[in-house]
């Protein structure tokens, strides 16, 4: 509740400063507003990642919790449904995604369901895969965040790169289906990981952009998107490491 109150106070401050300069002209304060919004989004994402790490730790450290997950396998299906429902609501309902505390409740449910799914993936992968994947993900996300903040690459260029990557991926998948080459399967995984990184860079640039590509009212929606990007990168790295270990 204290953390939610802090976010509300920050949101009030952002709106107060924005209203003071609402004449359609650029002002230096706009950079401050965007910086506050960005910190707010990344703070929420950090909390989401900490909670996900906690749930994954329970699953991997305590056999009783892992046994619980195995015994009640229907919770896996419920978590998938929960992720889909909360994602749709937060993505398409401006009213619910911006109204406190409903937006935080929905984001909390989304994070809980997603963390439960990730914990099952970690349990199946094993500690020897998960720990290196966590380290690689941390370095990757840090590097991509710094790149997004410093590089002058436009989002349109990144979208073009993403389209080209997906087109190449489609071609490789078609060849792999008919040839069943193991090296192609590994290449597909690497390209998927690359595409996930590009998605993350695009989303970070949209959040930190001064062009208001993401409204400052959409801090919950922005946090959900970045959190999903990071989880996607992590799972792709886990998949690659598992494949390399198998080979």
């Amino acid at each position: 509740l204290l953390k939610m109150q802090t976010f509300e106070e920050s949101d009030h401050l952002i709106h107060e400063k924005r209203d003071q300069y609402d004449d359609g002209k650029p002002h230096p304060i706009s950079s401050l507003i965007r910086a506050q919004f960005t910190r707010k989004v990344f703070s929420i994402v950090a909390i989401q990642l900490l909670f996900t790490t906690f749930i994954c730790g329970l699953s991997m450290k305590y056999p009783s919790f892992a046994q619980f997950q195995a015994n009640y396998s229907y919770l896996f299906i419920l978590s998938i449904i929960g992720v889909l429902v909360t994602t749709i609501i937060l993505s398409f309902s401006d009213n619910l995604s911006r109204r406190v505390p409903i937006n935080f409740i929905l984001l909390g449910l989304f994070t809980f369901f997603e963390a439960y799914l990730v914990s099952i993936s970690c349990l199946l992968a094993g500690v020897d895969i998960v720990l290196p994947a966590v380290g690689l993900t941390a370095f990757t996300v840090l590097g991509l965040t710094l790149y997004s903040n410093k590089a002058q690459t436009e989002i349109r260029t990144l979208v073009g790169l993403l389209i080209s990557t997906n087109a190449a991926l489609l071609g490789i998948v078609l060849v792999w289906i008919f040839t069943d080459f193991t090296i192609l399967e590994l290449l597909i995984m690497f390209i998927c990981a690359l595409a996930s990184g590009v998605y993350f860079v695009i989303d970070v640039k949209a959040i930190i952009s001064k062009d208001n590509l993401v409204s400052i009212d959409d801090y919950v929606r922005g946090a959900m998107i970045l959190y999903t990007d990071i989880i996607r990168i992590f799972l792709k790295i886990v998949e690659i490491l598992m494949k390399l270990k198998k080979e």
Side-chain angles (χ1 to χ4, degrees):
L1 292 176
L2 180 60
K3 179 66 70 174
M4 187 178 297
Q5 182 179 4
T6 302
F7 284 140
E8 290 179 5
E9 292 174 354
S10 175
D11 186 56
H12 176 72
L13 179 61
I14 289 176
H15 281 82
E16 183 179 295
K17 291 181 178 178
R18 181 179 61 181
D19 293 340
Q20 293 175 0
Y21 298 91
D22 193 19
D23 60 357
K25 298 179 182 180
H27 294 277
I29 193 67
S30 62
S31 298
L32 177 60
I33 294 175
R34 180 54 60 173
Q36 291 175 332
F37 168 74
T38 302
R39 285 196 297 268
K40 189 173 185 178
V41 170
F42 276 89
S43 296
I44 297 173
V45 173
I47 295 173
Q48 290 177 280
L49 293 175
L50 286 174
F51 178 77
T52 304
T53 302
F54 172 73
I55 297 298
C56 292
L58 287 180
S59 181
M60 301 184 70
K61 184 175 178 60
Y62 298 100
S64 57
F65 186 74
Q67 188 62 43
F68 168 82
Q69 291 179 305
N71 292 339
Y72 298 93
S73 56
Y74 65 88
L75 293 177
F76 177 79
I77 304 299
L78 290 179
S79 295
I80 293 177
I81 296 174
V83 167
L84 291 176
V85 172
T86 51
T87 298
I88 291 173
I89 294 175
L90 289 174
S91 298
F92 297 102
S93 176
D94 291 339
N95 183 34
L96 294 179
S97 66
R98 296 174 179 176
R99 185 192 303 175
V100 178
I102 295 178
N103 55 354
F104 283 106
I105 293 174
L106 288 171
L107 184 65
L109 291 173
F110 166 81
T111 305
F112 176 81
F113 292 132
E114 187 71 24
Y116 189 84
L117 294 175
V118 174
S119 70
I120 295 177
S121 298
C122 291
L123 182 62
L124 296 175
V127 178
D128 57 333
I129 294 292
V130 172
L131 290 182
V134 170
L136 289 172
T137 303
F139 280 111
T140 301
V141 169
L142 177 60
L144 291 177
T145 302
L146 292 175
Y147 172 82
S148 303
N149 190 38
K150 300 298 182 181
Q152 301 299 319
T153 308
E154 294 186 359
I155 290 182
R156 283 179 293 182
T157 303
L158 293 171
V159 171
L161 174 61
L162 188 60
I163 294 175
S164 301
T165 301
N166 289 332
L169 177 62
L170 177 61
I172 295 175
V173 168
L174 291 175
V175 174
W176 174 68
I177 290 175
F178 292 103
T179 59
D180 197 25
F181 287 153
T182 303
I183 187 64
L184 290 180
E185 184 178 357
L186 191 59
L187 181 59
I188 290 172
M189 294 179 183
F190 275 109
I191 294 178
C192 287
L194 174 62
S196 299
V198 176
Y199 273 117
F200 179 76
V201 172
I202 291 174
D203 291 335
V204 171
K205 277 188 165 293
I207 287 173
I208 66 178
S209 173
K210 298 176 184 178
D211 298 328
N212 291 322
L213 299 178
V214 177
S215 171
I216 61 174
D217 298 314
D218 289 328
Y219 48 88
V220 164
R221 187 176 291 170
M224 180 189 70
I225 292 173
L226 288 189
Y227 170 77
T228 302
D229 288 338
I230 295 173
I231 294 299
R232 185 188 298 118
I233 292 172
F234 169 72
L235 292 178
K236 290 302 178 184
I237 292 177
V238 167
E239 187 179 4
I240 291 173
L241 293 179
M242 290 180 66
K243 183 64 179 178
L244 291 173
K245 181 182 178 180
K246 182 179 178 181
E247 294 299 324

